[in-house]
Amino acid sequence: MTASDPAHDAKRATAQPAASPAFGPFRLQRLLGKSAQTLVWLATDPRVDAERVLVMPRAQAPDRAQLERHLQAASKAMRVAHPGLAAAVEVGEHDRWPYIAYPRGQSNTLAELTGAQGSPALDVARWSVQLLDGLAFAHEAALAHRDIQAWMVLIDESGRARLIGLEAAAAPHDRMVLPADAAHSVTGLQAQRRDAERDVLAFGLVMHYALTGQHALEQTDSAVAMALMPPQGREPVRLPWTTARPLPEALRVIANRATDRQERNRYHSARTLARALEGWIQAEEAADGGPLALLADRLRSNGALPSLPGAARRAARLALMERERTNELAEIVLQDPALTFELLRAVNTAEVRGAMIAGSGPVLTMRRAIAMVGLDGVRRAALSLRDWPGPLGGAAATALERAIERAQRGARIAQLLRPPGYDAEVIHLVALLQCLGRLVTHYHFPEEAAQIQRLMQAVPSDEEGRPDEPGMSEESASLAVLGVEIDALGAAVARYWGLDESVLHMIRRFAPRNTVRTIENDDDMLRATASCANDVVDALSLPARQNAAAMQRVAQRYARALNLSLRDLQLAAQGQSPHDASGDRDGPLSTWHAA
């Protein structure tokens, strides 16, 4: 036996299989895709007269030990069953080349299906959710893909998508198949987390390709593109503003977050990216309700909000007292947003509105709501609410409590800023309803609410002397996490309760970067005043060093429309009315009045 030539062995270990018709029991037809780590071949299996898709590492195993580790990892992946993961029919090796074989069936790879114009947005979102569910399932089983590419996705004629190649890419020696006692070590868990996050980033690049028909950074290999992106490189990846196919803004935000230049802003798990896409799909497909589809079941089981500690019981006790105390009861109801919203829902439903006098408008004061349902109705509503904090606990309950305090503070400031002649209860409710989306998000989607808050925080600069990078706007952050805007969720709930288009117009806050120039009617006045008050609260919630500049921006936005100065806003924030003390603070009630 002659000694082996090291140079010859190294060359053999890095060469790819020759395009020979034979590879073990298979006959190779054509190469479907290749990356720095893997090869994907279309082949036939004469044993069963069927087409197969073969996935194998780019290089042969250098020794028998590594080959066994690779085959063991692939066999483990083969046992994980999920609709989003293709089921392998065989794991084997030929000439020290491990492979995984999948049935071709009527499927094509995403690379084969995607043309220069990309794919329809809704189709991409649908199959992405299927694949991400499978990827999340694999990650939770301590498995990773490590080489997600467009040719690793099989899509059949019905639109069903499956991911191939799980554990097919060779992993570093110390991260192949860990011993049982090492699988739970810090190093092992950290490696799994890194692999999972890289899988999600690679999936974001595949989405980018599917939506545009163009590979990000002109790199067909997602691993090469990732190496060019921060933090390793400096090349950002964002969807172009113009695409061959229409691209909804919400889906654009989701896809851009998946490849965000800041690691902290990206999706850190397949599950969170899938949830954002599911939210967008539900809002896009729902014919009657839109974003409400996200909330419908949770509203029915848990209500809009839980009652604040003791508030519902106080209102229930007071409802047993004499009718002359209606005004006092209204004040107590307004202290609890959950009871306030429940009474608004009760008196604005289609059945109740249908029994009212034709032409009457929506109910926007607690005095009128109490008059309609009666004291017994108030008591029943109060006792029907979930006790604080409902199903929440710990940090989520604390975050909801803070959100409620901010909403109530905005409502109080709105009362102080309202022009003479406008009813205090109406402006209070309009300001409170402008925060409805935030509140239901904190209550029904606590994990997502926490993500939104993190995305809105400024990112500290990594270079001395450079300003911090601003965080996302609330609109963009909610699109990136939920797939819909927070304000859209609030509007959907208000519409579900029966509030009409005029109210939906008033409870939509003005976009934070737009100057409010003209007020055309009472509805606009109520909307602008409430929006200004809530903007003041948002400004004061920023870090102390940013308060002054933020308040100045609010004053500049509303100065012309509301005739308010920075000093006026500061007084209102301190609990003082900026209007002349002799003004008619509770005079005529304008268009919106209590019946």
Side-chain angles (χ1 to χ4, degrees):
M1 181 179 295
T2 59
S4 63
D5 181 357
H8 175 75
D9 288 347
K11 182 177 181 181
R12 183 186 181 197
T14 58
Q16 70 180 56
S20 166
F23 178 78
F26 304 98
R27 291 189 176 275
L28 302 178
Q29 300 298 312
R30 58 188 173 90
L31 190 64
L32 296 176
K34 64 179 180 179
S35 71
Q37 298 187 75
T38 58
L39 299 166
V40 178
W41 284 89
L42 177 63
T44 56
D45 187 347
R47 297 171 296 177
V48 292
D49 190 24
E51 284 190 325
R52 297 288 186 246
V53 178
L54 302 183
V55 184
M56 63 190 73
R58 187 71 179 266
Q60 290 170 298
D63 52 52
R64 194 70 196 177
Q66 186 163 327
L67 175 63
E68 290 299 327
R69 286 195 296 269
H70 199 118
L71 291 173
Q72 186 179 349
S75 297
K76 180 182 177 182
M78 186 178 178
R79 294 191 294 270
V80 176
H82 188 279
L85 301 173
V89 294
E90 184 178 336
V91 171
E93 61 95 8
H94 172 66
D95 193 22
R96 282 199 287 119
W97 226 299
Y99 63 83
I100 308 175
Y102 299 91
R104 166 81 159 183
Q106 300 301 313
S107 299
N108 290 288
T109 69
L110 177 63
E112 292 174 300
L113 295 173
T114 303
Q117 292 187 332
S119 301
L122 200 54
D123 290 349
V124 173
R126 288 191 185 113
W127 60 249
S128 292
V129 169
Q130 298 173 36
L131 297 171
L132 288 163
D133 281 344
L135 189 60
F137 188 79
H139 289 163
E140 289 156 6
L143 298 172
H145 194 288
R146 301 190 191 90
D147 196 34
I148 293 177
Q149 310 282 352
W151 51 85
M152 291 284 191
V153 175
L154 294 180
I155 302 176
D156 64 22
E157 295 175 342
S158 68
R160 178 191 174 198
R162 292 162 297 149
L163 188 65
I164 64 174
L166 190 66
E167 290 287 348
H173 178 81
D174 62 341
R175 287 160 57 189
M176 292 294 277
V177 180
L178 297 171
D181 58 346
H184 301 289
S185 68
V186 174
T187 301
L189 293 175
Q190 288 176 341
Q192 291 172 18
R193 190 181 306 114
R194 286 196 302 270
D195 285 343
E197 290 180 359
R198 283 184 61 81
D199 279 352
V200 178
L201 177 56
F203 194 92
L205 294 172
V206 170
M207 282 182 59
H208 183 285
Y209 167 68
L211 290 169
T212 64
Q214 307 297 320
H215 290 284
L217 305 181
E218 300 181 349
Q219 299 295 332
T220 57
D221 187 342
S222 60
V224 176
M226 287 191 289
L228 298 174
M229 297 169 62
Q232 292 87 359
R234 293 182 174 272
E235 298 292 334
V237 173
R238 296 183 66 82
L239 290 169
W241 285 111
T242 57
T243 54
R245 294 179 183 271
L247 188 58
E249 181 59 25
L251 186 58
R252 176 188 295 278
V253 172
I254 293 171
N256 281 340
R257 182 192 171 190
T259 59
D260 197 279
R261 63 183 297 274
Q262 289 285 346
E263 282 189 291
R264 55 166 276 179
N265 286 346
R266 295 171 186 163
Y267 297 98
H268 295 293
S269 75
R271 194 75 70 192
T272 54
L273 176 51
R275 285 182 188 140
L277 290 168
E278 284 173 336
W280 178 75
I281 292 171
Q282 286 181 293
E284 192 76 6
E285 290 183 331
D288 54 350
L292 186 63
L294 290 170
L295 275 170
D297 291 341
R298 305 186 190 200
L299 285 171
R300 284 190 289 269
S301 60
N302 293 323
L305 290 174
S307 179
L308 290 175
R313 289 191 293 274
R314 288 195 300 273
R317 286 197 301 270
L318 194 55
L320 297 175
M321 300 179 183
E322 61 272 17
R323 185 171 301 275
E324 288 73 17
R325 301 183 68 176
T326 298
N327 286 345
E328 184 179 350
L329 178 56
E331 291 177 3
I332 290 180
V333 169
L334 287 171
Q335 294 172 15
D336 185 7
L339 184 53
T340 299
F341 291 152
E342 176 59 21
L343 287 177
L344 283 179
R345 184 201 63 78
V347 299
N348 282 291
T349 59
E351 293 81 3
V352 174
R353 293 282 300 280
M356 294 166 58
I357 300 173
S360 59
V363 180
L364 279 183
T365 69
M366 281 299 100
R367 300 189 302 274
R368 187 178 178 193
I370 292 169
M372 290 177 63
V373 302
L375 300 183
D376 286 342
V378 175
R379 184 171 182 273
R380 286 194 299 271
L383 295 177
S384 71
L385 298 174
R386 292 286 299 267
D387 289 336
W388 181 267
L392 301 183
T398 301
L400 175 60
E401 186 175 20
R402 286 199 299 265
I404 290 175
E405 290 173 354
R406 286 180 58 177
Q408 290 175 317
R409 186 181 186 189
R412 291 192 297 269
I413 292 175
Q415 287 182 320
L416 295 170
L417 293 177
R418 79 188 192 281
Y422 286 82
D423 187 274
E425 271 193 30
V426 173
I427 192 65
H428 181 108
L429 285 175
V430 170
L432 200 62
L433 285 167
Q434 286 187 353
C435 299
L436 178 59
R438 281 183 182 176
L439 297 177
V440 297
T441 299
H442 275 285
Y443 184 44
H444 296 288
F445 304 104
E447 293 180 6
E448 289 82 352
Q451 286 186 55
I452 290 170
Q453 292 301 311
R454 286 195 295 270
L455 291 176
M456 292 172 62
Q457 294 174 1
V459 180
S461 173
D462 54 3
E463 296 183 20
E464 187 175 353
R466 291 189 60 183
D468 293 347
E469 183 175 333
M472 291 185 181
S473 66
E474 185 176 53
E475 175 188 3
S476 295
S478 61
L479 287 174
V481 175
L482 292 168
V484 296
E485 298 176 20
I486 278 184
D487 285 350
L489 279 179
V493 174
R495 185 179 287 109
Y496 175 67
W497 289 343
L499 298 173
D500 65 15
E501 291 301 322
S502 63
V503 179
L504 295 178
H505 169 75
M506 287 190 293
I507 67 174
R508 187 173 67 252
R509 287 175 64 175
F510 285 95
R513 292 177 177 82
N514 295 343
T515 300
V516 183
R517 300 189 181 280
T518 58
I519 298 294
E520 297 181 356
N521 50 44
D522 286 335
D523 291 3
D524 286 344
M525 179 61 75
L526 290 166
R527 178 190 177 196
T529 304
S531 186
C532 178
N534 283 317
D535 284 358
V536 168
V537 175
D538 287 349
L540 295 175
S541 300
L542 294 172
R545 67 181 185 278
Q546 301 175 23
N547 287 163
M551 285 288 287
Q552 183 64 53
R553 288 193 295 270
V554 175
Q556 291 172 348
R557 289 185 64 216
Y558 294 95
R560 179 174 177 179
L562 298 179
N563 193 28
L564 291 171
S565 66
L566 176 60
R567 177 60 176 163
D568 294 332
L569 301 186
Q570 292 170 336
L571 287 172
Q574 296 167 9
Q576 304 176 50
S577 173
H579 299 297
D580 183 63
S582 63
D584 182 10
R585 296 182 59 194
D586 291 296
L589 301 181
S590 187
T591 301
W592 298 97
H593 58 85

Short mmCIF file of all heavy atoms in Angstrom, two decimals, residues 389-432:
data_model
loop_
_atom_site.label_atom_id
_atom_site.label_comp_id
_atom_site.label_asym_id
_atom_site.label_seq_id
_atom_site.Cartn_x
_atom_site.Cartn_y
_atom_site.Cartn_z
N PRO A 389 -55.08 41.78 37.25
CA PRO A 389 -54.74 42.26 35.91
C PRO A 389 -55.16 41.29 34.80
O PRO A 389 -54.48 41.18 33.80
CB PRO A 389 -53.22 42.36 35.97
CG PRO A 389 -52.83 41.17 36.83
CD PRO A 389 -53.95 41.00 37.82
N GLY A 390 -56.27 40.56 35.01
CA GLY A 390 -56.70 39.59 34.01
C GLY A 390 -55.68 38.46 33.92
O GLY A 390 -55.13 38.01 34.93
N PRO A 391 -55.37 37.99 32.71
CA PRO A 391 -54.41 36.89 32.55
C PRO A 391 -52.96 37.34 32.63
O PRO A 391 -52.06 36.51 32.53
CB PRO A 391 -54.73 36.35 31.15
CG PRO A 391 -55.26 37.53 30.41
CD PRO A 391 -56.01 38.34 31.42
N LEU A 392 -52.71 38.63 32.80
CA LEU A 392 -51.34 39.13 32.82
C LEU A 392 -50.70 38.93 34.18
O LEU A 392 -51.37 38.69 35.18
CB LEU A 392 -51.31 40.62 32.46
CG LEU A 392 -51.88 41.03 31.11
CD1 LEU A 392 -51.69 42.53 30.91
CD2 LEU A 392 -51.23 40.25 29.98
N GLY A 393 -49.40 39.07 34.19
CA GLY A 393 -48.67 39.00 35.44
C GLY A 393 -47.32 39.66 35.30
O GLY A 393 -46.84 39.89 34.18
N GLY A 394 -46.69 39.95 36.41
CA GLY A 394 -45.34 40.47 36.40
C GLY A 394 -45.16 41.73 35.59
O GLY A 394 -45.92 42.70 35.71
N ALA A 395 -44.14 41.71 34.71
CA ALA A 395 -43.79 42.89 33.93
C ALA A 395 -44.90 43.32 32.99
O ALA A 395 -45.09 44.52 32.75
CB ALA A 395 -42.51 42.62 33.14
N ALA A 396 -45.66 42.36 32.44
CA ALA A 396 -46.73 42.70 31.51
C ALA A 396 -47.83 43.51 32.21
O ALA A 396 -48.35 44.48 31.65
CB ALA A 396 -47.31 41.44 30.88
N ALA A 397 -48.18 43.12 33.43
CA ALA A 397 -49.20 43.86 34.18
C ALA A 397 -48.70 45.27 34.52
O ALA A 397 -49.45 46.25 34.44
CB ALA A 397 -49.56 43.11 35.46
N THR A 398 -47.43 45.37 34.87
CA THR A 398 -46.85 46.68 35.17
C THR A 398 -46.85 47.57 33.94
O THR A 398 -47.16 48.77 34.02
CB THR A 398 -45.41 46.51 35.69
OG1 THR A 398 -45.42 45.70 36.87
CG2 THR A 398 -44.79 47.87 36.02
N ALA A 399 -46.51 47.00 32.77
CA ALA A 399 -46.49 47.77 31.53
C ALA A 399 -47.90 48.25 31.17
O ALA A 399 -48.08 49.39 30.73
CB ALA A 399 -45.91 46.93 30.39
N LEU A 400 -48.91 47.40 31.36
CA LEU A 400 -50.29 47.82 31.08
C LEU A 400 -50.71 48.94 32.03
O LEU A 400 -51.36 49.91 31.61
CB LEU A 400 -51.23 46.63 31.22
CG LEU A 400 -52.73 46.95 31.07
CD1 LEU A 400 -53.03 47.57 29.71
CD2 LEU A 400 -53.58 45.70 31.29
N GLU A 401 -50.34 48.82 33.30
CA GLU A 401 -50.70 49.86 34.27
C GLU A 401 -50.08 51.20 33.87
O GLU A 401 -50.74 52.25 33.93
CB GLU A 401 -50.22 49.44 35.66
CG GLU A 401 -50.68 50.39 36.76
CD GLU A 401 -50.29 49.88 38.14
OE1 GLU A 401 -49.38 49.03 38.23
OE2 GLU A 401 -50.90 50.33 39.13
N ARG A 402 -48.82 51.18 33.43
CA ARG A 402 -48.18 52.42 32.98
C ARG A 402 -48.89 52.99 31.75
O ARG A 402 -49.06 54.20 31.62
CB ARG A 402 -46.70 52.18 32.68
CG ARG A 402 -45.83 52.02 33.90
CD ARG A 402 -44.35 52.24 33.55
NE ARG A 402 -43.91 51.27 32.57
CZ ARG A 402 -43.30 50.14 32.85
NH1 ARG A 402 -43.07 49.81 34.12
NH2 ARG A 402 -42.90 49.31 31.90
N ALA A 403 -49.27 52.11 30.83
CA ALA A 403 -49.97 52.57 29.62
C ALA A 403 -51.31 53.21 29.96
O ALA A 403 -51.70 54.23 29.37
CB ALA A 403 -50.16 51.40 28.65
N ILE A 404 -52.01 52.64 30.93
CA ILE A 404 -53.29 53.22 31.37
C ILE A 404 -53.06 54.57 32.02
O ILE A 404 -53.80 55.54 31.78
CB ILE A 404 -54.02 52.26 32.32
CG1 ILE A 404 -54.52 51.02 31.55
CG2 ILE A 404 -55.19 52.95 33.01
CD1 ILE A 404 -55.14 49.95 32.43
N GLU A 405 -52.03 54.68 32.85
CA GLU A 405 -51.73 55.96 33.50
C GLU A 405 -51.42 57.03 32.45
O GLU A 405 -51.87 58.18 32.57
CB GLU A 405 -50.55 55.80 34.45
CG GLU A 405 -50.88 54.98 35.69
CD GLU A 405 -49.64 54.68 36.53
OE1 GLU A 405 -48.53 55.02 36.08
OE2 GLU A 405 -49.79 54.10 37.63
N ARG A 406 -50.68 56.67 31.41
CA ARG A 406 -50.36 57.63 30.34
C ARG A 406 -51.63 58.05 29.61
O ARG A 406 -51.81 59.23 29.29
CB ARG A 406 -49.36 57.03 29.38
CG ARG A 406 -47.95 56.93 29.92
CD ARG A 406 -47.00 56.32 28.91
NE ARG A 406 -46.94 57.06 27.66
CZ ARG A 406 -46.14 56.76 26.65
NH1 ARG A 406 -45.33 55.71 26.75
NH2 ARG A 406 -46.13 57.49 25.56
N ALA A 407 -52.50 57.09 29.32
CA ALA A 407 -53.74 57.42 28.61
C ALA A 407 -54.61 58.34 29.45
O ALA A 407 -55.21 59.30 28.94
CB ALA A 407 -54.49 56.14 28.26
N GLN A 408 -54.70 58.07 30.75
CA GLN A 408 -55.52 58.92 31.63
C GLN A 408 -54.91 60.31 31.76
O GLN A 408 -55.64 61.32 31.82
CB GLN A 408 -55.65 58.26 33.00
CG GLN A 408 -56.51 57.00 32.98
CD GLN A 408 -56.52 56.30 34.32
OE1 GLN A 408 -55.47 56.15 34.98
NE2 GLN A 408 -57.68 55.84 34.76
N ARG A 409 -53.59 60.39 31.80
CA ARG A 409 -52.96 61.70 31.88
C ARG A 409 -53.23 62.49 30.61
O ARG A 409 -53.52 63.69 30.65
CB ARG A 409 -51.45 61.57 32.10
CG ARG A 409 -50.77 62.90 32.33
CD ARG A 409 -49.27 62.78 32.54
NE ARG A 409 -48.70 64.07 32.90
CZ ARG A 409 -47.40 64.31 32.98
NH1 ARG A 409 -46.52 63.35 32.74
NH2 ARG A 409 -46.97 65.52 33.32
N GLY A 410 -53.17 61.83 29.45
CA GLY A 410 -53.50 62.51 28.20
C GLY A 410 -54.92 63.03 28.19
O GLY A 410 -55.18 64.13 27.70
N ALA A 411 -55.85 62.23 28.74
CA ALA A 411 -57.24 62.66 28.79
C ALA A 411 -57.41 63.89 29.68
O ALA A 411 -58.18 64.81 29.36
CB ALA A 411 -58.12 61.51 29.28
N ARG A 412 -56.69 63.91 30.81
CA ARG A 412 -56.78 65.09 31.71
C ARG A 412 -56.20 66.33 31.04
O ARG A 412 -56.75 67.43 31.15
CB ARG A 412 -56.06 64.79 33.02
CG ARG A 412 -56.74 63.75 33.89
CD ARG A 412 -56.15 63.72 35.29
NE ARG A 412 -54.74 63.35 35.29
CZ ARG A 412 -54.30 62.09 35.41
NH1 ARG A 412 -55.17 61.10 35.50
NH2 ARG A 412 -53.01 61.83 35.43
N ILE A 413 -55.06 66.16 30.35
CA ILE A 413 -54.45 67.31 29.67
C ILE A 413 -55.37 67.80 28.55
O ILE A 413 -55.50 69.02 28.34
CB ILE A 413 -53.07 66.92 29.12
CG1 ILE A 413 -52.09 66.68 30.29
CG2 ILE A 413 -52.51 68.01 28.20
CD1 ILE A 413 -50.73 66.17 29.86
N ALA A 414 -56.02 66.89 27.85
CA ALA A 414 -56.94 67.28 26.79
C ALA A 414 -58.08 68.12 27.35
O ALA A 414 -58.52 69.10 26.71
CB ALA A 414 -57.49 66.04 26.09
N GLN A 415 -58.57 67.78 28.53
CA GLN A 415 -59.64 68.58 29.14
C GLN A 415 -59.16 70.01 29.42
O GLN A 415 -59.90 70.98 29.23
CB GLN A 415 -60.11 67.93 30.44
CG GLN A 415 -60.94 66.67 30.23
CD GLN A 415 -61.41 66.09 31.55
OE1 GLN A 415 -60.67 66.06 32.55
NE2 GLN A 415 -62.63 65.60 31.58
N LEU A 416 -57.91 70.12 29.86
CA LEU A 416 -57.38 71.45 30.16
C LEU A 416 -57.11 72.26 28.90
O LEU A 416 -57.21 73.50 28.92
CB LEU A 416 -56.08 71.31 30.97
CG LEU A 416 -56.24 70.70 32.38
CD1 LEU A 416 -54.88 70.38 32.98
CD2 LEU A 416 -57.03 71.64 33.29
N LEU A 417 -56.78 71.60 27.81
CA LEU A 417 -56.48 72.31 26.56
C LEU A 417 -57.71 72.62 25.73
O LEU A 417 -57.63 73.42 24.79
CB LEU A 417 -55.52 71.45 25.70
CG LEU A 417 -54.10 71.24 26.23
CD1 LEU A 417 -53.34 70.31 25.28
CD2 LEU A 417 -53.36 72.57 26.38
N ARG A 418 -58.85 72.00 26.04
CA ARG A 418 -60.02 72.16 25.17
C ARG A 418 -60.47 73.61 25.12
O ARG A 418 -60.44 74.32 26.13
CB ARG A 418 -61.16 71.26 25.64
CG ARG A 418 -61.93 71.81 26.84
CD ARG A 418 -62.93 70.80 27.37
NE ARG A 418 -63.85 71.40 28.31
CZ ARG A 418 -63.58 71.67 29.58
NH1 ARG A 418 -62.37 71.41 30.05
NH2 ARG A 418 -64.50 72.22 30.35
N PRO A 419 -60.87 74.09 23.94
CA PRO A 419 -61.38 75.46 23.83
C PRO A 419 -62.68 75.62 24.60
O PRO A 419 -63.40 74.64 24.82
CB PRO A 419 -61.62 75.62 22.32
CG PRO A 419 -60.83 74.53 21.67
CD PRO A 419 -60.83 73.39 22.65
N PRO A 420 -63.01 76.81 25.01
CA PRO A 420 -64.29 77.04 25.70
C PRO A 420 -65.46 76.56 24.85
O PRO A 420 -65.48 76.73 23.64
CB PRO A 420 -64.31 78.57 25.88
CG PRO A 420 -62.88 78.97 25.88
CD PRO A 420 -62.21 78.05 24.93
N GLY A 421 -66.44 75.96 25.50
CA GLY A 421 -67.63 75.51 24.80
C GLY A 421 -67.65 74.04 24.48
O GLY A 421 -68.69 73.51 24.08
N TYR A 422 -66.53 73.34 24.67
CA TYR A 422 -66.49 71.91 24.35
C TYR A 422 -66.61 71.10 25.64
O TYR A 422 -65.96 71.41 26.64
CB TYR A 422 -65.21 71.55 23.61
CG TYR A 422 -65.21 72.02 22.18
CD1 TYR A 422 -64.88 73.34 21.86
CD2 TYR A 422 -65.57 71.16 21.15
CE1 TYR A 422 -64.90 73.78 20.55
CE2 TYR A 422 -65.60 71.59 19.84
CZ TYR A 422 -65.26 72.90 19.55
OH TYR A 422 -65.30 73.34 18.25
N ASP A 423 -67.43 70.05 25.58
CA ASP A 423 -67.74 69.26 26.76
C ASP A 423 -66.50 68.51 27.26
O ASP A 423 -65.79 67.87 26.48
CB ASP A 423 -68.85 68.26 26.43
CG ASP A 423 -69.33 67.53 27.67
OD1 ASP A 423 -68.71 66.51 28.01
OD2 ASP A 423 -70.31 67.99 28.29
N ALA A 424 -66.27 68.60 28.56
CA ALA A 424 -65.08 67.98 29.15
C ALA A 424 -65.09 66.46 29.00
O ALA A 424 -64.05 65.83 28.76
CB ALA A 424 -64.97 68.37 30.63
N GLU A 425 -66.27 65.84 29.18
CA GLU A 425 -66.34 64.38 29.06
C GLU A 425 -66.05 63.92 27.64
O GLU A 425 -65.39 62.90 27.42
CB GLU A 425 -67.73 63.88 29.48
CG GLU A 425 -67.84 63.58 30.95
CD GLU A 425 -69.11 62.80 31.26
OE1 GLU A 425 -69.58 62.04 30.40
OE2 GLU A 425 -69.62 62.98 32.37
N VAL A 426 -66.56 64.65 26.64
CA VAL A 426 -66.36 64.25 25.25
C VAL A 426 -64.87 64.28 24.91
O VAL A 426 -64.32 63.32 24.35
CB VAL A 426 -67.15 65.16 24.30
CG1 VAL A 426 -66.80 64.85 22.85
CG2 VAL A 426 -68.64 64.98 24.51
N ILE A 427 -64.18 65.36 25.26
CA ILE A 427 -62.76 65.45 24.92
C ILE A 427 -61.96 64.41 25.72
O ILE A 427 -60.97 63.86 25.22
CB ILE A 427 -62.22 66.88 25.18
CG1 ILE A 427 -60.84 67.04 24.55
CG2 ILE A 427 -62.20 67.21 26.64
CD1 ILE A 427 -60.82 66.95 23.04
N HIS A 428 -62.40 64.12 26.94
CA HIS A 428 -61.75 63.07 27.73
C HIS A 428 -61.85 61.73 27.00
O HIS A 428 -60.85 61.00 26.87
CB HIS A 428 -62.44 62.99 29.10
CG HIS A 428 -61.84 61.95 30.02
ND1 HIS A 428 -61.08 62.28 31.12
CD2 HIS A 428 -61.91 60.58 30.00
CE1 HIS A 428 -60.69 61.16 31.73
NE2 HIS A 428 -61.19 60.12 31.07
N LEU A 429 -63.05 61.39 26.52
CA LEU A 429 -63.25 60.09 25.87
C LEU A 429 -62.53 60.02 24.52
O LEU A 429 -62.00 58.96 24.16
CB LEU A 429 -64.75 59.83 25.68
CG LEU A 429 -65.50 59.44 26.95
CD1 LEU A 429 -66.99 59.32 26.67
CD2 LEU A 429 -64.96 58.12 27.49
N VAL A 430 -62.51 61.12 23.78
CA VAL A 430 -61.80 61.11 22.50
C VAL A 430 -60.31 60.86 22.74
O VAL A 430 -59.68 60.05 22.05
CB VAL A 430 -62.03 62.43 21.74
CG1 VAL A 430 -61.10 62.52 20.53
CG2 VAL A 430 -63.48 62.54 21.29
N ALA A 431 -59.74 61.54 23.72
CA ALA A 431 -58.32 61.34 24.02
C ALA A 431 -58.05 59.92 24.49
O ALA A 431 -57.05 59.31 24.12
CB ALA A 431 -57.87 62.35 25.08
N LEU A 432 -58.95 59.38 25.30
CA LEU A 432 -58.79 58.01 25.79
C LEU A 432 -58.89 57.00 24.64
O LEU A 432 -58.10 56.06 24.55
CB LEU A 432 -59.85 57.72 26.85
CG LEU A 432 -59.59 56.56 27.81
CD1 LEU A 432 -58.33 56.81 28.63
CD2 LEU A 432 -60.79 56.37 28.74
#
